[in-house]
Amino acid sequence: MRCCGELCRWDEKYIKVLSMTLSTVKFDDCVGNQAVVFQSSDPVFGVRTDGSVYAREEGARLDEPVRFKLTASGPHTHAWEAVVQLSLTSSPSAQQNEDEIRSDQDQDISIRYSITGVGADQPPNEVFSIDPELGKMFVTKPLDREHRSSYHLRAHAVDMNGNQVENPIDLYIFVIDMNDNRPEFKNQVYNGSVDEGSRPGTYVMHLSAFDADDNTTANGMVRYRILSQTPHSPIPNMFTINSETGDIVTVAPGLDREKVSQYTIIVQATDMEGNLNFGLSNTATAIITVTDINDNPPMLTSRTFSGEVPENRVDLVVANLTVIDADQPHSPNWNAVYRIISGDPSGHFTIRTDPISNDGMVTVVKPVDFEMNRAFMLTAVVSNQAHLASGIQSSLQSTAGVTISVQDVNEPPYFPTNPKHIRFEEGVPAGTSLTTFSASDPDRLQMQQIIRYLKLSDPADWLSINGTNGQIITTAILDRESVYVKNNIYEATFLAIDNGSPEASGTGTLQISLIDINDNPPALVPRESQICERMNKNVNGVNITAADADTDPNAGPFVFELPNYPTSIRRNWTISRISGDYARLALRYQVYLKPGMYEVPIVVSDSGNPPLSNRSVIKVKVCPCDEHGDCTTLGAVVAAGLGTGAIISILICIIILLCMVLLFVVWIKRREKERQTKQLLIDPEDDVRDNILKYDEEGGGEEDQDYDLSQLQQPDSLDHIISKPPGVRRVDERPIIPESQYPIRPVVPHPGDIGDFIHEGLRAADNDPTAPPYDSLLVFDYEGSGSTAGSVSSLNSSSTGDQDYDYLNDWGPRFKKLADMYGGGAED
């Protein structure tokens, strides 16, 4: 292959040899190849100055293909490299020599050479060409190794008739790289970080650039270096970069975020192994942020702080501690944490951190008492959320004293026992002294104060309190069964008010446990029931019990008894005990009572000491029962007090009332039906449809009737129709087009012409294009003033009998009535 100028490349070939015979490789630097030296990477094979490849050792073998790198260099060219592969071939007929392909038979016959494959007759087409007669190959287009680094072609030799004279041989062409691509960084700006105070050699970040050239040659070997650093503090070269890997590391101590928080470094990447004379370069920016470490302890701005707090107040800030920290604000290295290390054994105070200012807020969390402590001497220490960096000591200004003065205020009186519990029996009369509920004044260091008492809450209004000494006295009888007593306890609250400035008051609660006494008689339960009129072997009685507002032992068990009077009660009824709280009321055996309602008195006694009794009445309904022991419906009514006759009367009245309602509904329905239905009550003889209307009187024709015949006439003017917009028209209006000619009735018509006249009119109407599409008034003719036609109504009063009306029979069914009336001559 021959190439010159910028198209000059090494072509990598597989050079075929027969046994130990080697070929030559030709190189052209376009300036005469002066002092060009070839160097082989294989010690067995060498290349002479003329490009011939030879075996340096006699024992060189080509049993396996041998591949080595060949380098050409000279004073007028860069170093060029190519890969040469030597292998045995089975045919001596064809040989590849320099930049041409020749056949052994080209001395005897004319040979035509051609090449096939990618880059020849396959896309990309015509990159390589061959002289068909001489076998010389040429590059016809610029080669780009980054696009395609190798080509595989096949060379063919045929005679003039197209017959193959040699077996095709394979040509492997490798495109030698040129340094035509700059290194490219993936990003123009890289961000990295390093802790302040880092030691030299600390890794910071990594940069990398890619070169599209061959990375096995100097063209693609990239080297890095730092061009500049901003700022130069503390020295201009705080960082260095590994020229091969692109790793940036620190080279000097002294990184301090509080002085320089960020560095900007310009990094250059150069190929040709960093040769600035021949290599291509590119740059990128590396921004290195110096991250904060806790190398600055917090320092309080003063050694002492002070504040004051009113007694008995909580959640109140009483002092503010200010601090200075040079580390990164609002970071764990800057956030302050305060602690009280002495002076507050009871935990009255805590120090909270203001998240914005980082100050310490001394806050009261437990009430303080002026009478117990007039001042507190606290010792506070401040630190950071994060631990100090290695080697950093706490500052002496991390500790300060805090003096808190307690302010005396008028404290409210308090009840030493609150709530106070006492026990009394219910029923205590009014005016009884229950207890003394007094309060104490905690302000011992102030002038003795006077306390007065008031009642705050007394739901049942049973109590009063002495305003001076707090004595509790009843104003009504205490009742344990009251709705104001919950779980046998009555509760009232009282106020104790001093005369300080301002006045202060305290609240006390008095709880009275009421002991039950037997003050409520039992009540019978239930008060109403029902029972069968005859004894039932299964069920024939009423279970009764009692309710008592008192509690044990003043309630059950109960005693149920029937009174001695009236005597009929014990004669008809009996009570049997079921349990301590229950008994059964029943009719005596073989006693029959009429259905009805009976009042049975029962005496109920509780178990109190002494017991209380109560005479209660239970209403028992006696009624007939079914086999299950349940009252029947009729029996229930009878038991309610109504006789058989009354029941029958009630049923008859109900039936009559239902019948009346039914008749009324039927009458209403019939009226509505008659109102909605309009029946035709006209005699068929008087029906005007297809009939002659008989007036039974003679008249003067149309002139004796006050009819407006203008409605039957054609309109004299069409202005009201013409003035309408196009397309807007009633269906029964005549179109404005020439009208069809209808037949004109003769002045004196012959009776036989009437039928013809009508038929002609119908035929003309059917063929009339101006006729309306729906039913409307069709004008055949009309009789006006002075018409020679006589009135139809005057036919009955004709004075002559010479007229023949038989022709009416020929006019169809519409004239049958006239034919019957006037036809037939003398018979009529």
Side-chain angles (χ1 to χ4, degrees):
M1 293 289 298
R2 182 186 301 272
C3 59
C4 295
E6 294 185 359
L7 298 182
C8 188
R9 297 288 191 275
W10 270 99
D11 298 328
E12 299 181 359
K13 300 180 181 178
Y14 290 140
I15 302 177
K16 310 275 184 178
V17 298
L18 177 62
S19 185
M20 296 301 295
T21 302
L22 305 180
S23 186
T24 60
V25 176
K26 188 175 182 180
F27 173 76
D28 188 356
D29 64 357
C30 302
V31 291
N33 291 348
Q34 297 180 4
V36 173
V37 177
F38 298 97
Q39 292 181 350
S40 172
S41 62
D42 192 329
V44 178
F45 299 95
V47 182
R48 302 182 180 91
T49 56
D50 59 356
S52 60
V53 180
Y54 65 97
R56 295 176 178 173
E57 299 179 2
E58 294 183 359
R61 300 176 58 88
L62 293 178
D63 296 340
E64 298 292 337
V66 176
R67 191 174 185 184
F68 58 90
K69 183 184 292 185
L70 184 63
T71 304
S73 60
H76 304 290
T77 182
H78 300 306
W80 296 92
E81 295 180 351
V83 177
V84 177
Q85 180 169 310
L86 302 179
S87 62
L88 294 176
T89 183
S90 59
S91 175
S93 301
Q95 65 178 0
Q96 183 177 12
N97 184 20
E98 295 184 349
D99 53 356
E100 61 183 25
I101 299 174
R102 303 301 301 271
S103 173
D104 292 345
Q105 302 181 25
D106 62 352
Q107 302 296 328
D108 303 328
I109 60 176
S110 297
I111 303 297
R112 291 292 182 266
Y113 302 97
S114 63
I115 55 176
T116 59
V118 176
D121 59 345
Q122 297 178 19
N125 296 357
E126 299 180 356
V127 176
F128 300 96
S129 64
I130 189 171
D131 188 321
E133 296 180 357
L134 302 178
K136 292 185 177 182
M137 290 184 59
F138 302 92
V139 176
T140 61
K141 295 181 180 178
L143 301 179
D144 187 355
R145 190 202 66 86
E146 288 72 38
H147 179 69
R148 192 176 189 89
S149 61
S150 64
Y151 295 86
H152 177 200
L153 304 177
R154 302 200 75 186
H156 306 270
V158 298
D159 59 15
M160 299 301 294
N161 295 325
N163 299 319
Q164 180 177 313
V165 297
E166 300 283 355
N167 291 328
I169 63 173
D170 292 319
L171 302 178
Y172 292 88
I173 302 175
F174 293 88
V175 181
I176 304 303
D177 184 41
M178 287 186 63
N179 190 20
D180 56 347
N181 292 280
R182 293 179 180 275
E184 295 291 341
F185 286 96
K186 183 178 180 181
N187 302 314
Q188 281 300 111
V189 178
Y190 291 81
N191 291 282
S193 62
V194 62
D195 289 340
E196 61 176 330
S198 295
R199 296 178 179 180
T202 302
Y203 173 82
V204 179
M205 60 188 301
H206 172 76
L207 281 73
S208 63
F210 172 75
D211 196 313
D213 293 323
D214 188 359
N215 58 4
T216 62
T217 67
N219 299 334
M221 295 181 180
V222 180
R223 298 295 182 264
Y224 305 91
R225 69 190 188 102
I226 295 177
L227 296 182
S228 64
Q229 167 193 305
T230 305
H232 292 173
S233 176
I235 61 174
N237 299 315
M238 290 294 296
F239 305 94
T240 186
I241 187 170
N242 187 305
S243 62
E244 295 185 1
T245 64
D247 293 336
I248 296 178
V249 297
T250 60
V251 293
L255 290 174
D256 190 350
R257 190 202 64 84
E258 288 71 38
K259 296 180 179 178
V260 178
S261 61
Q262 190 178 84
Y263 290 90
T264 300
I265 294 177
I266 305 300
V267 178
Q268 182 184 60
T270 307
D271 57 17
M272 295 301 292
E273 297 181 298
N275 190 323
L276 300 179
N277 295 325
F278 303 103
L280 302 177
S281 301
N282 215 335
T283 60
T285 301
I287 297 178
I288 300 175
T289 301
V290 181
T291 55
D292 184 46
I293 64 172
N294 196 9
D295 58 345
N296 294 281
M299 295 183 296
L300 293 167
T301 58
S302 177
R303 297 303 301 269
T304 59
F305 296 89
S306 62
E308 59 183 18
V309 55
E311 61 177 336
N312 300 321
R313 293 285 300 275
V314 294
D315 292 330
L316 182 68
V317 177
V318 297
N320 197 60
L321 311 183
T322 56
V323 69
I324 297 176
D325 195 318
D327 291 319
Q328 179 71 39
H330 306 289
S331 69
N333 300 329
W334 178 82
N335 295 336
V337 178
Y338 298 88
R339 291 180 297 114
I340 297 175
I341 59 177
S342 65
D344 185 23
S346 300
H348 292 281
F349 303 93
T350 188
I351 304 179
R352 299 168 181 168
T353 303
D354 188 321
I356 299 176
S357 65
N358 213 27
D359 292 345
M361 300 177 294
V362 181
T363 307
V364 183
V365 294
K366 185 177 179 181
V368 295
D369 189 354
F370 177 80
E371 286 71 28
M372 298 293 295
N373 297 95
R374 299 186 183 184
F376 291 86
M377 303 298 295
L378 310 178
T379 301
V381 63
V382 62
S383 59
N384 292 124
Q385 286 182 351
H387 295 291
L388 289 174
S390 177
I392 304 299
Q393 300 296 326
S394 298
S395 172
L396 296 177
Q397 293 180 254
S398 297
T399 305
V402 183
T403 302
I404 306 297
S405 300
V406 181
Q407 297 176 339
D408 187 21
V409 297
N410 184 29
E411 299 177 79
Y414 69 95
F415 292 89
T417 304
N418 192 14
K420 184 175 184 179
H421 300 272
I422 59 175
R423 289 173 59 87
F424 272 88
E425 286 187 350
E426 64 173 330
V428 173
T432 302
S433 176
L434 300 181
T435 186
T436 298
F437 197 21
S438 59
S440 301
D441 190 350
D443 296 317
R444 298 187 303 271
L445 301 180
Q446 295 184 9
M447 183 180 61
Q448 188 66 32
Q449 296 179 347
I450 299 175
I451 299 176
R452 56 191 177 92
Y453 300 92
L454 296 175
K455 184 171 64 174
L456 181 63
S457 172
D458 182 12
D461 199 17
W462 289 343
L463 308 174
S464 65
I465 187 170
N466 187 297
T468 303
N469 57 17
Q471 184 180 16
I472 305 296
I473 301 176
T474 61
T475 59
I477 297 176
L478 305 183
D479 185 6
R480 190 197 65 84
E481 290 74 33
S482 172
V483 296
Y484 301 107
V485 177
K486 307 298 181 183
N487 298 323
N488 301 328
I489 295 177
Y490 181 74
E491 190 172 276
T493 55
F494 301 91
L495 282 178
I497 307 173
D498 64 15
N499 62 345
S501 179
E503 289 184 348
S505 62
T507 303
T509 301
L510 178 65
Q511 293 180 339
I512 306 173
S513 296
L514 296 177
I515 303 172
D516 184 44
I517 63 174
N518 192 18
D519 58 345
N520 293 281
L524 186 65
V525 178
R527 305 305 296 269
E528 292 184 0
S529 186
Q530 63 182 21
I531 194 171
C532 295
E533 61 182 353
R534 296 186 183 277
M535 185 73 175
N536 190 303
K537 62 180 179 178
N538 296 325
V539 179
N540 192 38
V542 178
N543 292 337
I544 59 176
T545 185
D548 197 326
D550 295 324
T551 61
D552 292 335
N554 299 319
F558 301 103
V559 177
F560 302 90
E561 297 177 318
L562 293 174
N564 295 325
Y565 300 97
T567 59
S568 60
I569 299 301
R570 285 181 174 268
R571 186 173 59 249
N572 296 329
W573 303 89
T574 180
I575 290 180
S576 58
R577 185 181 180 88
I578 298 177
S579 64
D581 295 334
Y582 290 89
R584 175 171 294 173
L585 174 67
L587 288 171
R588 286 189 177 274
Y589 184 68
Q590 293 183 346
V591 171
Y592 169 74
L593 295 179
K594 292 182 180 180
M597 187 69 70
Y598 295 86
E599 294 184 353
V600 181
I602 298 176
V603 177
V604 184
S605 302
D606 60 21
S607 299
N609 187 18
L612 294 180
S613 300
N614 182 24
R615 180 187 175 99
S616 301
V617 175
I618 180 173
K619 293 182 179 180
V620 181
K621 183 189 298 182
V622 179
C623 59
C625 297
D626 55 17
E627 63 274 10
H628 302 293
D630 299 327
C631 280
T632 61
T633 304
L634 182 60
V637 176
V638 172
L642 297 178
T644 305
I647 295 174
I648 295 175
S649 299
I650 292 174
L651 294 177
I652 292 175
C653 292
I654 292 175
I655 293 174
I656 293 174
L657 181 60
L658 291 176
C659 291
M660 293 177 64
V661 172
L662 181 62
L663 290 175
F664 180 75
V665 171
V666 172
W667 180 74
I668 293 296
K669 294 292 185 181
R670 186 172 182 180
R671 285 286 304 273
E672 292 180 355
K673 185 175 182 181
E674 290 177 354
R675 187 181 297 110
Q676 296 176 358
T677 304
K678 296 181 179 179
Q679 299 181 353
L680 185 62
L681 302 178
I682 303 176
D683 193 316
E685 290 293 328
D686 297 331
D687 190 0
V688 297
R689 294 174 296 178
D690 296 341
N691 290 287
I692 299 299
L693 184 62
K694 183 164 60 177
Y695 294 93
D696 292 334
E697 65 179 4
E698 295 184 0
E702 287 80 357
E703 295 180 348
D704 64 346
Q705 302 294 334
D706 189 15
Y707 296 143
D708 183 12
L709 299 180
S710 63
Q711 301 297 324
L712 303 177
Q713 301 177 6
Q714 298 182 5
D716 296 331
S717 174
L718 300 177
D719 294 339
H720 67 287
I721 299 176
I722 298 174
S723 62
K724 289 189 177 182
V728 180
R729 187 175 304 280
R730 287 171 42 187
V731 296
D732 57 348
E733 291 181 352
R734 261 187 331 182
I736 309 175
I737 59 175
E739 299 180 357
S740 300
Q741 297 298 321
Y742 289 86
I744 301 176
R745 182 181 177 182
V747 177
V748 183
H750 188 275
D753 296 335
I754 295 177
D756 297 335
F757 174 79
I758 292 176
H759 289 299
E760 290 177 4
L762 287 173
R763 196 163 46 247
D766 291 339
N767 298 325
D768 185 3
T770 65
Y774 300 104
D775 292 342
S776 60
L777 182 63
L778 184 62
V779 180
F780 294 94
D781 206 344
Y782 65 93
E783 295 180 83
S785 177
S787 173
T788 57
S791 173
V792 178
S793 62
S794 62
L795 294 176
N796 195 30
S797 61
S798 176
S799 59
T800 176
D802 296 335
Q803 183 68 35
D804 183 10
Y805 297 101
D806 291 339
Y807 59 85
L808 295 176
N809 293 321
D810 300 330
W811 287 6
R814 295 180 181 272
F815 294 90
K816 188 176 185 304
K817 189 70 175 179
L818 290 176
D820 293 341
M821 293 175 60
Y822 297 98
E827 294 179 2
D828 297 329

